[in-house]
Amino acid sequence: MKRQIRSFSTLLVAIMMMVTILAACGGGGSDKKETSSDTGTETKTETGGEEQTADAGKPDTSKKVQLNWYLLGDAHKDTPKVVEEWNKMLEKDLNVTVKLNFTTWTDWTTKYNLLLASGEKIDMIFASSWADYFKFANQGAFLPLNDLLPTYAPETWKSVPEQDWKEATVKGNIYAVPATYPEYTPDGIVYREDWREELGLPQITDIDSIEAYLEGVKNGKKITPINGKAYNEIFTMFKAFNNFQQIGGDSGVVVSKSYDTPRDIVAYPFTPEFEQWAHKMKEWKDKGFWNSDTLSNQKEAGDAIKTGQGAVYWRNAPGAGGYIMGLKTTNPDIKMGYFPYSRFHNLTMPTLSVNNAMAIPKSAPNPERSLMVLDKLRNDPKYYDLMSYGLEGTNYSVDTADSKYIVQPPAGTPKDDKVHTSYGIASWGYRVESMERVKQASGWPEFDSLLTEFKAQSKPNIFAGVLMDYAPVKSQQAAVNSVIQQYGQPIMMGLVPDVDKAIATYRKQLESAGVNDVLDYIKEQANKSFDEQGIQ
Amino acid sequence: MKSFLQEMNRNKVLFLMIAPTLLFFIVFSYIPMVGVYYAFTRFSFDGGLFGSEFIGMKNFEFLFNSGVLWNLTKNTVLYNIAFILISNILQLLCAIFLSELPGKLFRKTTQSIMFLPFFVSFVLVGAFVFNLFNSDNGVVNTMLSQLGLPTYDFYVHTAPWKYIIVFFHVWKGLGYGTVIYLAAIMSISDEYHEAAKIDGANIFQRVRHIIMPMLVPTFILLILLSLGGILKGQFDLFYQVIGNNGLLYNSTDIIDTYVYRSLAVNFDIGMGTAAGLYQSFFGFVLIITVNYIIRKVRSDYALF
């Protein structure tokens, strides 16, 4: 009897475990089914509603929905409060709530790719030319918005300039709503101006004065001038110095040899300019302008400047403003200067409108409502201020001198206040110039004159429109990418013992990886695009 | 089939008990295997898994074309062999030392301290390594220059990295493996030891003739289990420690870091799956072969 009871109870336990697991799995499965059928009917009713609304001119918002949004980067500590406030407003005005998610900056490319590939239900996501907007749009990851925009985002549809829409168009469809925020972002370096004056070094105007400056601070201050990862500093300088215009992604080796001869397309490691540069960089490295471990270093060179251990840091023009203004509060005794590389050839190109944009993934359950929220966000100052600058009083206060502008953190905040901080998330995707309440480049006084300089020498960006998804040459492209890192980067940083031998190896490896196939493919695509744009 | 049903009928309860595990593996390991098909398609967001265009072996080309596959496979396998052997032997030794140590408090403390590195993330390990070996103010180079010796540029020479990487791998897993062996030692019946003591065996003889032979099955089992993953490199370790430093790739590039580097720029599901399939396939072949050999030699130690 006792034995029977025991075996019975074992059986019972086993059955219970089975059931729990089955229930867990089954529960998950049926849940999914429910939501998917739910969204199915929802889209149906909404498309049904569309016909009505086309007549009435007012979209149907009777059904309450929750939207799922993704932005890049990290949330601010006040983000939950801000979003709560936002949702109150949204619920009242549009009968929706939004769950705002962030990818964080760590490995954001991988996460971003996975979000789109996994088919997660996302109603709106940040998109950008530097986050492979064109590739994803081409592969069908985003929803075409042409038909939806006039109905669900009428104000945005009217206010975004024609050219901006054109830049967001892929194969005849608009896949993203670009931010309306024209910018110039030429690469350049910020440097310790006070040290330059103190040591009596020449003004930085060209490559020789940069070298003189680096040498001067290296010897005069006994520090490593570019103290951290230095690849960006050097690689962007290389491109700008030689007037090479990179085509087909920031990481490749294919460039147009100059802006004026866009069809002269080459792989830069095979040019004599690269050879000269490599020798120069070897000299620079041997003089100790950066450390031999620079490629493994994870630290930004900018952090070393703050501690007095470095002098030079790569920034684009608005980024330089942000960095310099930041230093003014943390290290007021440091005086910085800025040299934009665009001065090598007196040439700047405006960024594409889709440099920052918001797109709707194909998987979106409620694209219509999401567009309505975006329209509100871009055009209603109450929404715009909240989602860009946070809460008034906590994160900012209105500038008493000029009420168009605001002060971040609120005026009169003591320096070590942890509660009142200036709000900052990657809100670039829905930025609108006319709605902005802070000056570009964080109010950096020198920025206005730089902007005049950039505008005077500005030429249209003819390269950004070259659309590529690399599908026919992707295995070669993958192999080339790997070769660049293994052989190219050490040469660029002057870390190899014998430059000529290293360049020969690099070229051989590139060729066997298939760089010529990639080059031919890019040439073909670029020429097609130049033909369309009417450029010789 | 009939006998299987009879068997099932006879051991209802046992089968019920294994069912959750079976279910777990079916749901999380076997069903996802369908995704292997990605390796043979050109992925598009429109098509999904079965709607995407079939392109045969094209996704594997980037592995074979570049001519680096042999070097990568060699690095991966050699590193893993070093990891497996050195780790297991050291873990075994530590477990024996610990089991023979007198003083419970001391033993427990040692064990816990040894376990701690297991919880340290590889990002931190990477930071440790950089702070130890960087050229400017790394611990090692600072010490060298204080002693008046010439400093050494670790990050431009490939030679020391094999040892550094193996060292940190072993250091990190030591505590964890020791616990497994310690458990195996504890399960050895006291009767053997008592009998041996009566016969006058000293501690070394007991270790040599009782503990060692009793641990062989555990040792072989652990080695067999790790062999299956021999083509899977420890990505976190290599990526965090070496990072983007191309100068060191000749001796530190493994399949996983190569795949990451090639595809990080051009995210491609098909090619990523292809690389994973290559690793799994050869892992599978390897474990079958090794198990076959073991079955020939000592059939009771074989996995299946």
Side-chain angles (χ1 to χ4, degrees):
Chain A
M1 185 62 197
K2 207 173 164 190
R3 207 191 138 82
Q4 247 179 354
I5 290 176
R6 198 191 285 160
S7 71
F8 179 73
S9 58
T10 336
L11 189 73
L12 198 71
V13 169
I15 289 178
M16 271 164 64
M17 275 170 73
M18 264 304 276
V19 169
T20 347
I21 285 191
L22 276 177
C25 295
S30 63
D31 254 5
K32 223 181 248 167
K33 223 178 272 166
E34 245 165 274
T35 39
S36 66
S37 69
D38 209 25
T39 51
T41 49
E42 210 163 77
T43 11
K44 249 180 251 158
T45 48
E46 290 236 282
T47 35
E50 202 183 345
E51 282 161 39
Q52 289 174 3
T53 52
D55 302 330
K58 199 168 183 306
D60 175 28
T61 57
S62 57
K63 189 172 178 342
K64 184 172 185 272
V65 292
Q66 177 165 36
L67 303 174
N68 202 15
W69 281 33
Y70 264 93
L71 292 182
L72 296 189
D74 299 290
H76 184 263
K77 74 172 173 46
D78 291 330
T79 297
K81 271 187 269 172
V82 170
V83 172
E84 198 189 311
E85 188 63 29
W86 190 37
N87 276 330
K88 272 188 225 153
M89 288 153 65
L90 283 172
E91 203 168 346
K92 206 175 103 231
D93 292 341
L94 299 169
N95 200 19
V96 293
T97 53
V98 176
K99 187 167 178 294
L100 191 65
N101 305 288
F102 291 87
T103 60
T104 75
W105 285 122
T106 332
D107 285 333
W108 67 270
T109 29
T110 320
K111 284 179 202 151
Y112 187 79
N113 284 319
L114 282 175
L115 280 174
L116 291 175
S118 67
E120 194 180 322
K121 301 261 175 278
I122 300 169
D123 297 279
M124 188 155 278
I125 193 164
F126 178 83
S128 162
S129 47
W130 43 266
D132 283 332
Y133 166 70
F134 292 110
K135 191 186 87 186
F136 284 124
N138 205 21
Q139 288 181 352
F142 299 129
L143 200 70
L145 303 175
N146 303 42
D147 300 337
L148 298 173
L149 279 166
T151 322
Y152 296 101
E155 280 190 61
T156 307
W157 180 237
K158 273 180 276 172
S159 63
V160 173
E162 191 61 38
Q163 174 66 23
D164 287 8
W165 287 125
K166 218 177 98 191
E167 285 170 3
T169 303
V170 177
K171 289 188 192 157
N173 284 321
I174 297 170
Y175 287 100
V177 182
T180 313
Y181 195 77
E183 268 186 305
Y184 290 92
T185 55
D187 292 308
I189 44 170
V190 291
Y191 57 91
R192 289 285 300 253
E193 173 72 10
D194 47 353
W195 284 357
R196 190 190 67 77
E197 285 164 5
E198 186 190 323
L199 298 165
L201 301 167
Q203 287 272 1
I204 292 186
T205 50
D206 54 15
I207 199 99
D208 294 326
S209 50
I210 291 178
E211 184 170 351
Y213 173 82
L214 291 170
E215 199 159 359
V217 292
K218 169 81 196 171
N219 297 328
K221 290 289 170 187
K222 301 283 171 239
I223 46 108
T224 308
I226 311 178
N227 198 350
K229 15 180 191 185
Y231 186 73
N232 278 331
E233 281 80 353
I234 299 308
F235 180 56
T236 52
M237 197 193 299
F238 164 71
K239 283 191 293 181
F241 176 69
N242 290 304
N243 201 9
F244 285 168
Q245 306 295 331
Q246 207 164 13
I247 311 182
D250 286 339
S251 52
V253 287
V254 178
V255 295
S256 261
K257 280 197 83 172
S258 88
Y259 184 91
D260 302 318
T261 56
R263 286 177 197 253
D264 187 3
I265 296 170
V266 293
Y268 71 74
F270 295 88
T271 60
E273 288 90 341
F274 178 70
E275 277 174 39
Q276 282 167 12
W277 185 263
H279 282 282
K280 197 190 242 338
M281 287 308 112
K282 170 82 178 149
E283 264 172 51
W284 285 25
K285 193 256 135 196
D286 290 343
K287 285 181 182 167
F289 294 171
W290 53 84
N291 287 326
S292 61
D293 52 29
T294 181
L295 286 175
S296 285
N297 203 332
Q298 297 291 328
K299 278 186 298 235
E300 294 282 328
D303 296 336
I305 297 180
K306 290 180 189 160
T307 56
Q309 294 298 310
V312 170
Y313 184 31
W314 160 77
R315 291 285 80 185
N316 64 30
Y323 181 76
I324 292 173
M325 295 313 282
L327 271 185
K328 281 207 172 132
T329 52
T330 56
N331 304 57
D333 47 321
I334 295 179
K335 199 175 151 225
M336 300 297 292
Y338 182 62
F339 175 75
Y341 294 153
S342 56
R343 284 191 193 148
F344 284 133
H345 291 275
N346 296 324
L347 168 72
T348 34
M349 287 182 272
T351 54
L352 276 186
S353 68
V354 279
N355 198 34
N356 293 302
M358 297 299 283
I360 299 183
K362 194 146 232 171
S363 61
N366 297 297
E368 300 87 357
R369 302 291 280 274
S370 210
L371 274 179
M372 289 166 71
V373 174
L374 184 68
D375 202 34
K376 198 88 184 152
L377 184 55
R378 286 177 52 114
N379 298 299
D380 187 328
K382 239 175 72 192
Y383 282 76
Y384 192 86
D385 291 350
L386 177 69
M387 291 308 289
S388 307
Y389 311 119
L391 301 160
E392 188 172 351
T394 312
N395 305 113
Y396 70 92
S397 65
V398 177
D399 195 338
T400 41
D402 182 353
S403 66
K404 179 173 171 15
Y405 294 110
I406 56 165
V407 184
Q408 296 171 298
T413 307
K415 204 179 167 189
D416 51 352
D417 194 330
K418 293 271 189 292
V419 183
H420 299 90
T421 50
S422 84
Y423 188 72
I425 55 170
S427 60
W428 317 316
Y430 48 85
R431 261 197 306 200
V432 180
E433 196 182 23
S434 59
M435 305 287 285
E436 280 287 305
R437 298 184 69 184
V438 292
K439 290 179 181 145
Q440 265 202 22
S442 321
W444 183 32
E446 285 160 60
F447 191 69
D448 288 338
S449 67
L450 273 179
L451 209 58
T452 330
E453 176 188 325
F454 296 153
K455 276 185 182 151
Q457 65 194 25
S458 172
K459 288 185 186 170
N461 191 339
I462 53 174
F463 301 101
V466 182
L467 171 63
M468 267 168 295
D469 74 345
Y470 290 102
V473 292
K474 62 180 185 175
S475 69
Q476 291 91 328
Q477 195 216 8
V480 167
N481 283 337
S482 185
V483 171
I484 297 171
Q485 258 200 13
Q486 179 165 3
Y487 299 94
Q489 292 194 358
I491 296 176
M492 186 62 80
M493 301 315 296
L495 296 168
V496 292
D498 182 340
V499 176
D500 291 318
K501 223 170 85 191
I503 291 179
T505 320
Y506 184 29
R507 287 177 178 169
K508 214 176 83 213
Q509 292 289 342
L510 278 174
E511 267 166 5
S512 68
V515 74
N516 288 324
D517 297 339
V518 178
L519 183 62
D520 290 342
Y521 171 75
I522 293 178
K523 267 187 191 159
E524 190 190 314
Q525 299 296 314
N527 284 332
K528 216 190 286 172
S529 160
F530 294 147
D531 288 343
E532 278 169 22
Q533 297 180 63
I535 296 158
Q536 276 318 301
Chain B
M1 191 65 208
K2 201 174 171 199
S3 66
F4 177 73
L5 282 179
Q6 271 172 359
E7 173 96 17
M8 199 151 154
N9 197 31
R10 212 175 316 133
N11 297 317
K12 276 199 258 340
V13 178
L14 288 181
F15 273 101
L16 258 179
M17 284 168 84
I18 203 181
T21 319
L22 268 181
L23 200 72
F24 178 88
F25 277 103
I26 288 173
V27 171
F28 291 105
S29 297
Y30 285 91
I31 295 180
M33 263 191 214
V34 181
V36 162
Y37 184 65
Y38 278 129
F40 305 98
T41 62
R42 174 178 297 143
F43 179 78
S44 77
F45 289 90
D46 291 330
L49 179 52
F50 291 109
S52 298
E53 184 193 352
F54 181 81
I55 52 168
M57 299 296 282
K58 245 186 135 187
N59 283 326
F60 291 84
E61 274 175 10
F62 87 107
L63 282 175
F64 298 102
N65 272 359
S66 48
V68 292
L69 191 64
W70 164 240
N71 191 33
L72 292 174
T73 310
K74 191 187 77 189
N75 276 349
T76 315
V77 171
L78 288 180
Y79 269 113
N80 275 323
I81 289 178
F83 288 166
I84 294 169
L85 287 183
I86 298 177
S87 292
N88 273 296
I89 290 170
L90 279 179
Q91 287 159 4
L92 189 73
L93 287 178
C94 282
I96 294 173
F97 284 139
L98 276 181
S99 70
E100 295 298 332
L101 270 179
K104 200 174 173 196
L105 183 71
F106 179 70
R107 196 167 67 207
K108 288 279 169 201
T109 320
T110 320
Q111 199 181 323
S112 310
I113 291 173
M114 278 170 67
F115 212 103
L116 277 181
F118 184 73
F119 297 108
V120 175
S121 81
F122 278 108
V123 182
L124 280 178
V125 174
F128 288 167
V129 173
F130 188 77
N131 282 308
L132 280 174
F133 298 112
N134 76 61
S135 55
D136 214 20
N137 45 14
V139 175
V140 176
N141 276 324
T142 315
M143 260 171 25
L144 286 175
S145 61
Q146 293 288 329
L147 294 170
L149 297 167
T151 56
Y152 185 76
D153 270 346
F154 282 95
Y155 282 92
V156 292
H157 296 100
T158 50
W161 288 96
K162 298 183 195 98
Y163 309 104
I164 294 174
I165 283 178
V166 171
F167 172 81
F168 275 95
H169 180 89
V170 171
W171 167 77
K172 207 168 175 307
L174 189 61
Y176 187 82
T178 303
V179 170
I180 295 178
Y181 283 112
L182 205 55
I185 292 175
M186 291 306 165
S187 70
I188 299 172
S189 167
D190 277 344
E191 289 166 23
Y192 295 107
H193 288 289
E194 276 159 22
K197 270 182 201 157
I198 290 166
D199 288 345
N202 65 21
I203 188 163
F204 297 107
Q205 283 166 323
R206 274 189 289 127
V207 169
R208 168 72 189 80
H209 294 289
I210 300 176
I211 299 184
M212 292 284 216
M214 296 291 248
L215 285 184
V216 169
T218 319
F219 185 74
I220 289 188
L221 181 76
L222 286 178
I223 295 233
L224 262 181
L225 286 179
S226 26
L227 275 180
I230 202 163
L231 267 169
K232 294 218 192 309
Q234 180 121 40
F235 176 75
D236 339 32
L237 174 65
F238 287 82
Y239 183 67
Q240 296 300 342
V241 171
I242 304 299
N244 295 328
N245 197 338
L247 287 173
L248 307 180
Y249 286 160
N250 262 338
S251 69
T252 62
D253 210 12
I254 54 171
I255 298 179
D256 299 73
T257 46
Y258 177 81
V259 169
Y260 175 78
R261 197 163 70 242
S262 313
L263 303 183
V265 182
N266 187 16
F267 185 80
D268 191 294
I269 294 175
M271 281 149 79
T273 316
L277 184 61
Y278 168 77
Q279 291 176 305
S280 302
F281 180 75
F282 281 93
F284 175 73
V285 170
L286 202 74
I287 202 166
I288 293 285
T289 323
V290 173
N291 191 64
Y292 176 80
I293 296 168
I294 290 183
R295 203 171 54 215
K296 285 273 168 203
V297 183
R298 294 283 295 266
S299 63
D300 41 339
Y301 289 162
L303 265 186
F304 46 85

